[in-house]
Amino acid sequence: MDFTRRETLALGAGAALAAALPLKAFAGSHGGLADEAIAAFTGGADVGEGGIELTAPEIAENGNTVPIEVSAPGASAIMVLAAGNPTPGVATFNFGPLAASQAASTRIRLAGTQDVVAVAKLADGSFVKASSTVKVTIGGCGG
Amino acid sequence: MISRRDFLQVSMAASAMLGTSGFGNWARLAAQQALTQDQLLEFETFGNISLIHVTDIHAQLKPIYFREPSVNLGVGSNKGQVPHITGADFRKAYGINDGSPSAYALTYDDFSSLAQAYGRVGGLDRVSTVINAIRADRPDALLLDGGDTWHGSYTCYQTEGQDMVNVMNALKPDAMTFHWEFTLGSERVNGIVEGLPFAALGQNIFDAEWDEPAELFKPYKFFERGGAKVAVIGQAFPYMPIANPRWMFPEYSFGIRDENMQEMVDEVRGMGADVVVVLSHNGFDVDKKMASVVSGIDVILSGHTHDALPEPVLVGQTHIIASGSNGKFVSRVDLDVRDGQMMGLKHKLIPIFSDVIAPDPMITKLIDEQRAPFADQLSEVIGQADSLLYRRGNFNGTWDDLICDALISEREADIAMSPGVRWGPSIVPGQDITREDIWNVTSMSYGEAYRTEMTGEFIKVILEDVADNIFNPDPYYQQGGDMVRIGGMGYRIDINKPQGERISEMTLLSTGEAIDPAKTYNVAGWASVNEGTEGPQIWDVVENHIRKLGTVNVTPRDNVKVVGA
C-alpha cells in the first residue's frame, strides 16, 4: 500500500515547510529589522536588563500559535518582537496610569527557531529588555 | 548538633556505602548460587516516610530481558556525569564487580552470557512482591508511578491500556503522571483518568485553548504520612505535542513551566508541606536543571530517560532518583521528616530479578487474565534469534537495525528511518521471537509504516533536527529520546557542533556514493507524528521480514561515526 500521488504531494509540502525552518533559524537576515524596531521604540536610548519578565516556551508545541507573557512593573509600554520573523513586530502594549498591572499575554506565530524579544519603557523613561529563544522543531520521537 | 546539610551528606554517604557493599555481596553470593529475595529486599527502615517509585514500565507485565545502553552521551555540563556513563566506567563509579548481578542489571557488557546466568528481569507480579515487602515494613508507604505505563505491548494496544490499568490498580498506587498515555487519544485518556482510584498529577498539563491548568489533572496532592505532610507534585512529559502526535490530544498543552512549578512548591509550602516530592517525567538532565532553577523541592522521582542509578544525585538540596524502565527496577526511598524539614534520606534501587523474587500469585492470576484472550496471538513463534537484539543506545541497536532492514526490504526503499525511542525489551541469542516480542518493540497507536520520497537535503534537515533535540547543550531544549535510527545510509555526527553543522559524510550504503542534497531517495519509516500517515503497521512489516529470514542474525553496525563524545 503505497502513498497516492496526492498524499505524497501533501507530505512533500509539509516537508518543504519544515525544511525551510532551520534555514531561517537564528534570524541573521531579519535581525537588522528587529534592531531598527527597537531603536525606533527607544529613540536610540540605552537598553538595560532586569525589571522585565518574558515567559515563553523553550520549544514551541505549534509554531503557528506560541503563547507568551510579558510583565514589567511600572512600565508605560512594552514592545514584543519576533526577531526571526520576516516582519519582526508583534505588538506594543501601552499601559495608562490607572492600569492595575503592567502585564500582557498573547500568542504569536514564529517562522522558525528564533529569539523573542520584549522591550519595556519604564516609568522613569529608561528602557529594559528581555529575550528568550523559542525552538521550532519538526519533532520526533520521545522515550 | 550536626546541621541539616551535614546530616544529609552523612546519610548520603551511608547509603552509598550500603549500596556498594550490598552490590559486592550480591556478586559473591550469586557466585555461590545464593542470591535470595531477602538480600535483594534487605533495607533497614529509616525515618518516618517511605516512597516507592516505579516508572516507564511500558506495559511490560511479564519478565523480560533488558540490556542497558553502551552509548549514552552527555553534552555541555552533563558530559561524563551520571547517567551519561556506561559499561566499565559505570561499574567503576559505583564499585560494581564485573559479572556480578549488578553488572548484569546496570551495564551492557557480556549481556548475552550474563542473561543465561541471571535470567529475566521485571514482571509486575514480582514488582508486587517488592511493594508488599516494603509495605510490610511501612504500611503507609506511598507508591508513585512516573508514567509511560499504559503503552508498549500487544495487549496494551488491543485493550487501549485497560490491561495495565487493571493490573496497576491492583498494586494500589497513590499518584501517577503521564507521557505515552496521551497517545491513546485524549478521549480515552480522559475516560480512564476520570475513573482512576488515585491521583492523576501534572502541574504542567494545561488546556491548550486557554493556557490554563487542565481541570482533570491536579498539580499536586497532599498525603499525611508519619506525622508529616507530604506534598507530591506531578510533572508530565513536557514535549508531548512535539515528540508525539499533537493531533491525538489537541486539547492539551504541556511544557516545562518551571515558573509554575516554583509557584506550586511555594503554594504547598505555604499550606504546611513538611516535604516536597516531585513525580517527574522530565528526563534526568531536565530534572537536574529544574532542580537548580526551582527551590524547595526535596526529592525528584525522575522518569522518561530510562536511566537506572544506584544512588541519588544531589543538586543543591534536591535529591534526584532514577528508577530505570520496563519493570526492571523499583526504588525505595525512606525519608526522615521532622519539624517541617527533610533531615535525611535513604535509598535503594532494587533490581527485579524474576528468578529470585517470588511472584505475587494474586497479581500473576490477574496478569494471566489480561493476556488470556490473546494467548494464541502472543505466543506464535515468528523466527529465532541467533544474535542479541537490543535497542538502547544513542545511535543504533540491533533491534532497530533489523526493523530498518525490514522497512528497506518489505517497502522497497533506499533508506529507512526508525524512531529513537528508549523502550523495548531485548532478545537473547537462541530465543524464539514471538509476535509478542515484535510488538514489545513496535507497539504504538501511530505505527503506520510510510514510504515517501525525500531529497538528500531534507534527510539532513531531519537528522540535524533530531540531533539537536538530543545534543543541545541546554537540557531544556532536549526531548530525551535517542537519535533516529537509519538503515541503508551512513553518516558522521559531531555532537558538540550547533544545529545544522553536526551531520556530515552522509553515504548511501548500497552504492557507497555520497548522498546528493538535490537527489530524491525512497525513504521508509514509521511513527510519523503527522496526521493521516498511511501504510501497513510496522509490526506486520517486521513480522513478514522475520518470517522470511527464519533465523535472525544482526551484529552491531558501524554506519554512524560519532565525534566529540
PDB file of all heavy atoms in Angstrom, chain A residues 140-143, chain B residues 71-73 84 179 237 243 282-283 304-305 392-395 419-423 466-467 469-471 478-485:
ATOM      1  N   GLY A 140       9.948  14.607  16.780  1.00  0.00           N
ATOM      2  CA  GLY A 140      10.486  13.282  16.511  1.00  0.00           C
ATOM      3  C   GLY A 140       9.917  12.310  17.488  1.00  0.00           C
ATOM      4  O   GLY A 140       8.711  12.138  17.531  1.00  0.00           O
ATOM      5  N   CYS A 141      10.771  11.783  18.294  1.00  0.00           N
ATOM      6  CA  CYS A 141      10.385  10.572  18.973  1.00  0.00           C
ATOM      7  C   CYS A 141      10.869  10.620  20.404  1.00  0.00           C
ATOM      8  O   CYS A 141      12.064  10.676  20.648  1.00  0.00           O
ATOM      9  CB  CYS A 141      11.013   9.409  18.257  1.00  0.00           C
ATOM     10  SG  CYS A 141      12.124   9.942  16.952  1.00  0.00           S
ATOM     11  N   GLY A 142       9.930  10.616  21.311  1.00  0.00           N
ATOM     12  CA  GLY A 142      10.298  10.664  22.723  1.00  0.00           C
ATOM     13  C   GLY A 142      10.630   9.297  23.251  1.00  0.00           C
ATOM     14  O   GLY A 142      10.465   8.300  22.579  1.00  0.00           O
ATOM     15  N   GLY A 143      11.127   9.251  24.467  1.00  0.00           N
ATOM     16  CA  GLY A 143      11.450   7.986  25.110  1.00  0.00           C
ATOM     17  C   GLY A 143      10.192   7.284  25.533  1.00  0.00           C
ATOM     18  O   GLY A 143      10.231   6.268  26.152  1.00  0.00           O
TER      19      GLY A 143
ATOM     20  N   VAL B  71      26.137   3.282  24.710  1.00  0.00           N
ATOM     21  CA  VAL B  71      26.438   4.677  24.382  1.00  0.00           C
ATOM     22  C   VAL B  71      25.303   5.554  24.903  1.00  0.00           C
ATOM     23  O   VAL B  71      24.155   5.398  24.504  1.00  0.00           O
ATOM     24  CB  VAL B  71      26.591   4.876  22.850  1.00  0.00           C
ATOM     25  CG1 VAL B  71      26.881   6.339  22.530  1.00  0.00           C
ATOM     26  CG2 VAL B  71      27.676   3.975  22.295  1.00  0.00           C
ATOM     27  N   ASN B  72      25.626   6.464  25.815  1.00  0.00           N
ATOM     28  CA  ASN B  72      24.625   7.362  26.395  1.00  0.00           C
ATOM     29  C   ASN B  72      25.337   8.673  26.709  1.00  0.00           C
ATOM     30  O   ASN B  72      25.733   8.934  27.838  1.00  0.00           O
ATOM     31  CB  ASN B  72      24.024   6.734  27.658  1.00  0.00           C
ATOM     32  CG  ASN B  72      22.911   7.576  28.246  1.00  0.00           C
ATOM     33  OD1 ASN B  72      22.393   8.480  27.585  1.00  0.00           O
ATOM     34  ND2 ASN B  72      22.547   7.295  29.489  1.00  0.00           N
ATOM     35  N   LEU B  73      25.535   9.485  25.666  1.00  0.00           N
ATOM     36  CA  LEU B  73      26.424  10.642  25.771  1.00  0.00           C
ATOM     37  C   LEU B  73      25.753  11.839  26.429  1.00  0.00           C
ATOM     38  O   LEU B  73      24.602  12.152  26.141  1.00  0.00           O
ATOM     39  CB  LEU B  73      26.913  11.033  24.379  1.00  0.00           C
ATOM     40  CG  LEU B  73      27.616   9.912  23.601  1.00  0.00           C
ATOM     41  CD1 LEU B  73      27.942  10.377  22.185  1.00  0.00           C
ATOM     42  CD2 LEU B  73      28.883   9.473  24.321  1.00  0.00           C
ATOM     43  N   HIS B  84      25.302   9.665  32.231  1.00  0.00           N
ATOM     44  CA  HIS B  84      25.979   9.568  30.933  1.00  0.00           C
ATOM     45  C   HIS B  84      27.304   8.824  31.024  1.00  0.00           C
ATOM     46  O   HIS B  84      28.307   9.242  30.434  1.00  0.00           O
ATOM     47  CB  HIS B  84      26.153  10.960  30.321  1.00  0.00           C
ATOM     48  CG  HIS B  84      24.844  11.649  30.125  1.00  0.00           C
ATOM     49  ND1 HIS B  84      23.956  11.285  29.144  1.00  0.00           N
ATOM     50  CD2 HIS B  84      24.228  12.639  30.819  1.00  0.00           C
ATOM     51  CE1 HIS B  84      22.865  12.032  29.226  1.00  0.00           C
ATOM     52  NE2 HIS B  84      23.003  12.860  30.241  1.00  0.00           N
ATOM     53  N   HIS B 179       2.975  10.374  30.057  1.00  0.00           N
ATOM     54  CA  HIS B 179       3.563  10.709  28.766  1.00  0.00           C
ATOM     55  C   HIS B 179       2.822   9.933  27.669  1.00  0.00           C
ATOM     56  O   HIS B 179       1.836  10.418  27.152  1.00  0.00           O
ATOM     57  CB  HIS B 179       5.078  10.414  28.767  1.00  0.00           C
ATOM     58  CG  HIS B 179       5.730  10.526  27.423  1.00  0.00           C
ATOM     59  ND1 HIS B 179       6.994  10.067  27.159  1.00  0.00           N
ATOM     60  CD2 HIS B 179       5.282  11.041  26.249  1.00  0.00           C
ATOM     61  CE1 HIS B 179       7.319  10.301  25.903  1.00  0.00           C
ATOM     62  NE2 HIS B 179       6.288  10.873  25.329  1.00  0.00           N
ATOM     63  N   PHE B 237       5.471  14.644  30.927  1.00  0.00           N
ATOM     64  CA  PHE B 237       6.491  14.868  29.898  1.00  0.00           C
ATOM     65  C   PHE B 237       6.227  16.217  29.221  1.00  0.00           C
ATOM     66  O   PHE B 237       5.137  16.454  28.715  1.00  0.00           O
ATOM     67  CB  PHE B 237       6.452  13.725  28.868  1.00  0.00           C
ATOM     68  CG  PHE B 237       7.412  13.915  27.730  1.00  0.00           C
ATOM     69  CD1 PHE B 237       8.748  14.166  27.972  1.00  0.00           C
ATOM     70  CD2 PHE B 237       6.974  13.844  26.415  1.00  0.00           C
ATOM     71  CE1 PHE B 237       9.641  14.346  26.920  1.00  0.00           C
ATOM     72  CE2 PHE B 237       7.863  14.022  25.361  1.00  0.00           C
ATOM     73  CZ  PHE B 237       9.198  14.280  25.611  1.00  0.00           C
ATOM     74  N   ALA B 243       7.093  15.562  20.448  1.00  0.00           N
ATOM     75  CA  ALA B 243       7.686  14.232  20.289  1.00  0.00           C
ATOM     76  C   ALA B 243       6.649  13.196  19.868  1.00  0.00           C
ATOM     77  O   ALA B 243       6.997  12.176  19.292  1.00  0.00           O
ATOM     78  CB  ALA B 243       8.353  13.803  21.590  1.00  0.00           C
ATOM     79  N   ASN B 282      10.204  14.360  33.258  1.00  0.00           N
ATOM     80  CA  ASN B 282      11.018  15.329  32.524  1.00  0.00           C
ATOM     81  C   ASN B 282      12.175  14.682  31.762  1.00  0.00           C
ATOM     82  O   ASN B 282      12.633  15.218  30.755  1.00  0.00           O
ATOM     83  CB  ASN B 282      11.683  16.305  33.506  1.00  0.00           C
ATOM     84  CG  ASN B 282      10.848  17.542  33.764  1.00  0.00           C
ATOM     85  OD1 ASN B 282       9.949  17.869  32.982  1.00  0.00           O
ATOM     86  ND2 ASN B 282      11.141  18.224  34.855  1.00  0.00           N
ATOM     87  N   GLY B 283      12.711  13.607  32.279  1.00  0.00           N
ATOM     88  CA  GLY B 283      14.028  13.122  31.842  1.00  0.00           C
ATOM     89  C   GLY B 283      15.081  13.634  32.808  1.00  0.00           C
ATOM     90  O   GLY B 283      14.910  14.681  33.451  1.00  0.00           O
ATOM     91  N   HIS B 304      11.347   8.998  32.339  1.00  0.00           N
ATOM     92  CA  HIS B 304      11.400   9.314  30.921  1.00  0.00           C
ATOM     93  C   HIS B 304      12.679   8.859  30.221  1.00  0.00           C
ATOM     94  O   HIS B 304      12.600   8.270  29.161  1.00  0.00           O
ATOM     95  CB  HIS B 304      11.198  10.812  30.666  1.00  0.00           C
ATOM     96  CG  HIS B 304      11.245  11.184  29.207  1.00  0.00           C
ATOM     97  ND1 HIS B 304      10.460  10.541  28.271  1.00  0.00           N
ATOM     98  CD2 HIS B 304      11.968  12.096  28.512  1.00  0.00           C
ATOM     99  CE1 HIS B 304      10.706  11.072  27.071  1.00  0.00           C
ATOM    100  NE2 HIS B 304      11.618  11.995  27.180  1.00  0.00           N
ATOM    101  N   THR B 305      13.857   9.151  30.758  1.00  0.00           N
ATOM    102  CA  THR B 305      15.079   8.797  30.035  1.00  0.00           C
ATOM    103  C   THR B 305      15.573   7.382  30.375  1.00  0.00           C
ATOM    104  O   THR B 305      16.622   6.970  29.878  1.00  0.00           O
ATOM    105  CB  THR B 305      16.180   9.844  30.273  1.00  0.00           C
ATOM    106  OG1 THR B 305      16.136  10.278  31.633  1.00  0.00           O
ATOM    107  CG2 THR B 305      15.980  11.042  29.390  1.00  0.00           C
ATOM    108  N   ARG B 392      18.466   0.016  23.249  1.00  0.00           N
ATOM    109  CA  ARG B 392      19.010   1.185  23.930  1.00  0.00           C
ATOM    110  C   ARG B 392      20.425   1.544  23.467  1.00  0.00           C
ATOM    111  O   ARG B 392      21.248   0.677  23.225  1.00  0.00           O
ATOM    112  CB  ARG B 392      19.029   0.967  25.446  1.00  0.00           C
ATOM    113  CG  ARG B 392      17.802   1.435  26.242  1.00  0.00           C
ATOM    114  CD  ARG B 392      17.295   2.809  25.928  1.00  0.00           C
ATOM    115  NE  ARG B 392      18.300   3.858  25.983  1.00  0.00           N
ATOM    116  CZ  ARG B 392      18.733   4.424  27.079  1.00  0.00           C
ATOM    117  NH1 ARG B 392      18.269   4.066  28.241  1.00  0.00           N
ATOM    118  NH2 ARG B 392      19.623   5.379  27.020  1.00  0.00           N
ATOM    119  N   GLY B 393      20.663   2.848  23.415  1.00  0.00           N
ATOM    120  CA  GLY B 393      21.921   3.413  22.948  1.00  0.00           C
ATOM    121  C   GLY B 393      21.587   4.650  22.122  1.00  0.00           C
ATOM    122  O   GLY B 393      20.519   4.734  21.529  1.00  0.00           O
ATOM    123  N   ASN B 394      22.501   5.617  22.080  1.00  0.00           N
ATOM    124  CA  ASN B 394      22.184   6.874  21.414  1.00  0.00           C
ATOM    125  C   ASN B 394      22.006   6.744  19.898  1.00  0.00           C
ATOM    126  O   ASN B 394      21.265   7.515  19.293  1.00  0.00           O
ATOM    127  CB  ASN B 394      23.270   7.924  21.665  1.00  0.00           C
ATOM    128  CG  ASN B 394      23.176   8.567  23.037  1.00  0.00           C
ATOM    129  OD1 ASN B 394      24.151   9.057  23.574  1.00  0.00           O
ATOM    130  ND2 ASN B 394      21.971   8.558  23.628  1.00  0.00           N
ATOM    131  N   PHE B 395      22.668   5.783  19.268  1.00  0.00           N
ATOM    132  CA  PHE B 395      22.676   5.802  17.796  1.00  0.00           C
ATOM    133  C   PHE B 395      22.033   4.602  17.123  1.00  0.00           C
ATOM    134  O   PHE B 395      21.251   4.771  16.209  1.00  0.00           O
ATOM    135  CB  PHE B 395      24.102   6.012  17.290  1.00  0.00           C
ATOM    136  CG  PHE B 395      24.623   7.339  17.701  1.00  0.00           C
ATOM    137  CD1 PHE B 395      25.455   7.471  18.796  1.00  0.00           C
ATOM    138  CD2 PHE B 395      24.212   8.481  17.046  1.00  0.00           C
ATOM    139  CE1 PHE B 395      25.902   8.705  19.212  1.00  0.00           C
ATOM    140  CE2 PHE B 395      24.647   9.728  17.457  1.00  0.00           C
ATOM    141  CZ  PHE B 395      25.505   9.843  18.546  1.00  0.00           C
ATOM    142  N   PRO B 419      12.262   5.365  14.812  1.00  0.00           N
ATOM    143  CA  PRO B 419      12.351   6.382  15.863  1.00  0.00           C
ATOM    144  C   PRO B 419      13.291   5.969  16.996  1.00  0.00           C
ATOM    145  O   PRO B 419      13.377   4.799  17.336  1.00  0.00           O
ATOM    146  CB  PRO B 419      10.918   6.491  16.376  1.00  0.00           C
ATOM    147  CG  PRO B 419      10.305   5.176  16.049  1.00  0.00           C
ATOM    148  CD  PRO B 419      10.945   4.735  14.766  1.00  0.00           C
ATOM    149  N   GLY B 420      13.967   6.948  17.580  1.00  0.00           N
ATOM    150  CA  GLY B 420      14.918   6.669  18.667  1.00  0.00           C
ATOM    151  C   GLY B 420      14.247   6.597  20.018  1.00  0.00           C
ATOM    152  O   GLY B 420      14.633   7.301  20.950  1.00  0.00           O
ATOM    153  N   VAL B 421      13.254   5.727  20.131  1.00  0.00           N
ATOM    154  CA  VAL B 421      12.608   5.555  21.433  1.00  0.00           C
ATOM    155  C   VAL B 421      13.501   4.681  22.323  1.00  0.00           C
ATOM    156  O   VAL B 421      14.398   4.006  21.837  1.00  0.00           O
ATOM    157  CB  VAL B 421      11.210   4.926  21.287  1.00  0.00           C
ATOM    158  CG1 VAL B 421      10.286   5.846  20.533  1.00  0.00           C
ATOM    159  CG2 VAL B 421      11.301   3.568  20.621  1.00  0.00           C
ATOM    160  N   ARG B 422      13.245   4.734  23.624  1.00  0.00           N
ATOM    161  CA  ARG B 422      14.109   4.021  24.555  1.00  0.00           C
ATOM    162  C   ARG B 422      13.446   2.800  25.162  1.00  0.00           C
ATOM    163  O   ARG B 422      14.030   2.127  25.996  1.00  0.00           O
ATOM    164  CB  ARG B 422      14.577   4.973  25.670  1.00  0.00           C
ATOM    165  CG  ARG B 422      15.447   6.089  25.141  1.00  0.00           C
ATOM    166  CD  ARG B 422      16.025   6.975  26.222  1.00  0.00           C
ATOM    167  NE  ARG B 422      17.056   7.840  25.635  1.00  0.00           N
ATOM    168  CZ  ARG B 422      17.988   8.460  26.333  1.00  0.00           C
ATOM    169  NH1 ARG B 422      18.040   8.331  27.636  1.00  0.00           N
ATOM    170  NH2 ARG B 422      18.877   9.217  25.728  1.00  0.00           N
ATOM    171  N   TRP B 423      12.195   2.528  24.767  1.00  0.00           N
ATOM    172  CA  TRP B 423      11.522   1.351  25.299  1.00  0.00           C
ATOM    173  C   TRP B 423      11.774   0.171  24.372  1.00  0.00           C
ATOM    174  O   TRP B 423      12.253   0.324  23.257  1.00  0.00           O
ATOM    175  CB  TRP B 423      10.029   1.611  25.478  1.00  0.00           C
ATOM    176  CG  TRP B 423       9.353   2.362  24.366  1.00  0.00           C
ATOM    177  CD1 TRP B 423       9.172   3.719  24.297  1.00  0.00           C
ATOM    178  CD2 TRP B 423       8.777   1.836  23.161  1.00  0.00           C
ATOM    179  NE1 TRP B 423       8.519   4.052  23.134  1.00  0.00           N
ATOM    180  CE2 TRP B 423       8.252   2.920  22.426  1.00  0.00           C
ATOM    181  CE3 TRP B 423       8.628   0.553  22.647  1.00  0.00           C
ATOM    182  CZ2 TRP B 423       7.599   2.774  21.193  1.00  0.00           C
ATOM    183  CZ3 TRP B 423       7.980   0.399  21.412  1.00  0.00           C
ATOM    184  CH2 TRP B 423       7.475   1.497  20.696  1.00  0.00           C
ATOM    185  N   VAL B 466      16.657  16.235  14.790  1.00  0.00           N
ATOM    186  CA  VAL B 466      16.577  15.238  15.860  1.00  0.00           C
ATOM    187  C   VAL B 466      17.841  15.300  16.734  1.00  0.00           C
ATOM    188  O   VAL B 466      17.762  15.221  17.960  1.00  0.00           O
ATOM    189  CB  VAL B 466      16.367  13.819  15.288  1.00  0.00           C
ATOM    190  CG1 VAL B 466      16.325  12.799  16.423  1.00  0.00           C
ATOM    191  CG2 VAL B 466      15.078  13.747  14.478  1.00  0.00           C
ATOM    192  N   ALA B 467      19.001  15.472  16.078  1.00  0.00           N
ATOM    193  CA  ALA B 467      20.257  15.526  16.841  1.00  0.00           C
ATOM    194  C   ALA B 467      20.239  16.687  17.836  1.00  0.00           C
ATOM    195  O   ALA B 467      20.723  16.560  18.962  1.00  0.00           O
ATOM    196  CB  ALA B 467      21.448  15.654  15.887  1.00  0.00           C
ATOM    197  N   ASN B 469      17.660  17.845  19.275  1.00  0.00           N
ATOM    198  CA  ASN B 469      16.743  17.507  20.364  1.00  0.00           C
ATOM    199  C   ASN B 469      17.392  16.584  21.386  1.00  0.00           C
ATOM    200  O   ASN B 469      16.843  16.350  22.461  1.00  0.00           O
ATOM    201  CB  ASN B 469      15.469  16.847  19.815  1.00  0.00           C
ATOM    202  CG  ASN B 469      14.620  17.833  19.033  1.00  0.00           C
ATOM    203  OD1 ASN B 469      14.703  19.042  19.245  1.00  0.00           O
ATOM    204  ND2 ASN B 469      13.820  17.337  18.118  1.00  0.00           N
ATOM    205  N   ILE B 470      18.560  16.023  21.046  1.00  0.00           N
ATOM    206  CA  ILE B 470      19.279  15.138  21.972  1.00  0.00           C
ATOM    207  C   ILE B 470      20.543  15.819  22.503  1.00  0.00           C
ATOM    208  O   ILE B 470      20.862  15.711  23.671  1.00  0.00           O
ATOM    209  CB  ILE B 470      19.679  13.830  21.252  1.00  0.00           C
ATOM    210  CG1 ILE B 470      18.438  13.123  20.714  1.00  0.00           C
ATOM    211  CG2 ILE B 470      20.429  12.896  22.188  1.00  0.00           C
ATOM    212  CD1 ILE B 470      18.753  12.143  19.609  1.00  0.00           C
ATOM    213  N   PHE B 471      21.244  16.543  21.612  1.00  0.00           N
ATOM    214  CA  PHE B 471      22.582  17.038  21.971  1.00  0.00           C
ATOM    215  C   PHE B 471      22.645  18.554  22.139  1.00  0.00           C
ATOM    216  O   PHE B 471      23.735  19.121  22.204  1.00  0.00           O
ATOM    217  CB  PHE B 471      23.601  16.570  20.923  1.00  0.00           C
ATOM    218  CG  PHE B 471      23.704  15.070  20.850  1.00  0.00           C
ATOM    219  CD1 PHE B 471      23.358  14.374  19.708  1.00  0.00           C
ATOM    220  CD2 PHE B 471      24.130  14.338  21.958  1.00  0.00           C
ATOM    221  CE1 PHE B 471      23.435  12.989  19.647  1.00  0.00           C
ATOM    222  CE2 PHE B 471      24.208  12.951  21.915  1.00  0.00           C
ATOM    223  CZ  PHE B 471      23.861  12.280  20.751  1.00  0.00           C
ATOM    224  N   GLN B 478      16.203  19.652  25.169  1.00  0.00           N
ATOM    225  CA  GLN B 478      16.302  18.237  24.832  1.00  0.00           C
ATOM    226  C   GLN B 478      14.962  17.542  25.075  1.00  0.00           C
ATOM    227  O   GLN B 478      14.244  17.898  25.991  1.00  0.00           O
ATOM    228  CB  GLN B 478      17.360  17.549  25.712  1.00  0.00           C
ATOM    229  CG  GLN B 478      18.766  18.080  25.523  1.00  0.00           C
ATOM    230  CD  GLN B 478      19.720  17.554  26.594  1.00  0.00           C
ATOM    231  OE1 GLN B 478      19.351  16.722  27.409  1.00  0.00           O
ATOM    232  NE2 GLN B 478      20.937  18.049  26.576  1.00  0.00           N
ATOM    233  N   GLN B 479      14.691  16.538  24.237  1.00  0.00           N
ATOM    234  CA  GLN B 479      13.426  15.815  24.399  1.00  0.00           C
ATOM    235  C   GLN B 479      13.592  14.441  25.024  1.00  0.00           C
ATOM    236  O   GLN B 479      12.605  13.769  25.304  1.00  0.00           O
ATOM    237  CB  GLN B 479      12.721  15.692  23.044  1.00  0.00           C
ATOM    238  CG  GLN B 479      12.236  17.039  22.541  1.00  0.00           C
ATOM    239  CD  GLN B 479      11.703  16.970  21.138  1.00  0.00           C
ATOM    240  OE1 GLN B 479      11.382  15.902  20.637  1.00  0.00           O
ATOM    241  NE2 GLN B 479      11.610  18.101  20.490  1.00  0.00           N
ATOM    242  N   GLY B 480      14.836  14.013  25.206  1.00  0.00           N
ATOM    243  CA  GLY B 480      15.034  12.803  25.993  1.00  0.00           C
ATOM    244  C   GLY B 480      14.963  11.487  25.253  1.00  0.00           C
ATOM    245  O   GLY B 480      14.977  10.440  25.868  1.00  0.00           O
ATOM    246  N   GLY B 481      14.904  11.501  23.933  1.00  0.00           N
ATOM    247  CA  GLY B 481      14.957  10.240  23.196  1.00  0.00           C
ATOM    248  C   GLY B 481      16.379   9.972  22.743  1.00  0.00           C
ATOM    249  O   GLY B 481      17.329  10.585  23.223  1.00  0.00           O
ATOM    250  N   ASP B 482      16.525   9.011  21.843  1.00  0.00           N
ATOM    251  CA  ASP B 482      17.810   8.770  21.208  1.00  0.00           C
ATOM    252  C   ASP B 482      17.716   9.190  19.751  1.00  0.00           C
ATOM    253  O   ASP B 482      16.654   9.551  19.261  1.00  0.00           O
ATOM    254  CB  ASP B 482      18.185   7.286  21.326  1.00  0.00           C
ATOM    255  CG  ASP B 482      18.659   6.930  22.737  1.00  0.00           C
ATOM    256  OD1 ASP B 482      19.441   7.717  23.307  1.00  0.00           O
ATOM    257  OD2 ASP B 482      18.239   5.890  23.260  1.00  0.00           O
ATOM    258  N   MET B 483      18.867   9.146  19.052  1.00  0.00           N
ATOM    259  CA  MET B 483      18.936   9.563  17.657  1.00  0.00           C
ATOM    260  C   MET B 483      18.055   8.663  16.785  1.00  0.00           C
ATOM    261  O   MET B 483      17.994   7.449  17.021  1.00  0.00           O
ATOM    262  CB  MET B 483      20.399   9.492  17.201  1.00  0.00           C
ATOM    263  CG  MET B 483      20.674  10.105  15.852  1.00  0.00           C
ATOM    264  SD  MET B 483      20.382  11.882  15.824  1.00  0.00           S
ATOM    265  CE  MET B 483      20.640  12.197  14.076  1.00  0.00           C
ATOM    266  N   VAL B 484      17.402   9.272  15.783  1.00  0.00           N
ATOM    267  CA  VAL B 484      16.625   8.484  14.825  1.00  0.00           C
ATOM    268  C   VAL B 484      17.553   7.447  14.196  1.00  0.00           C
ATOM    269  O   VAL B 484      18.697   7.741  13.856  1.00  0.00           O
ATOM    270  CB  VAL B 484      15.955   9.398  13.763  1.00  0.00           C
ATOM    271  CG1 VAL B 484      16.964  10.236  12.993  1.00  0.00           C
ATOM    272  CG2 VAL B 484      15.110   8.588  12.791  1.00  0.00           C
ATOM    273  N   ARG B 485      17.096   6.208  14.141  1.00  0.00           N
ATOM    274  CA  ARG B 485      17.902   5.128  13.575  1.00  0.00           C
ATOM    275  C   ARG B 485      17.790   5.146  12.056  1.00  0.00           C
ATOM    276  O   ARG B 485      16.695   5.294  11.519  1.00  0.00           O
ATOM    277  CB  ARG B 485      17.415   3.780  14.081  1.00  0.00           C
ATOM    278  CG  ARG B 485      17.936   3.373  15.437  1.00  0.00           C
ATOM    279  CD  ARG B 485      17.487   4.214  16.575  1.00  0.00           C
ATOM    280  NE  ARG B 485      17.735   3.481  17.827  1.00  0.00           N
ATOM    281  CZ  ARG B 485      18.510   3.876  18.793  1.00  0.00           C
ATOM    282  NH1 ARG B 485      19.083   5.065  18.736  1.00  0.00           N
ATOM    283  NH2 ARG B 485      18.693   3.145  19.861  1.00  0.00           N
TER     284      ARG B 485
END
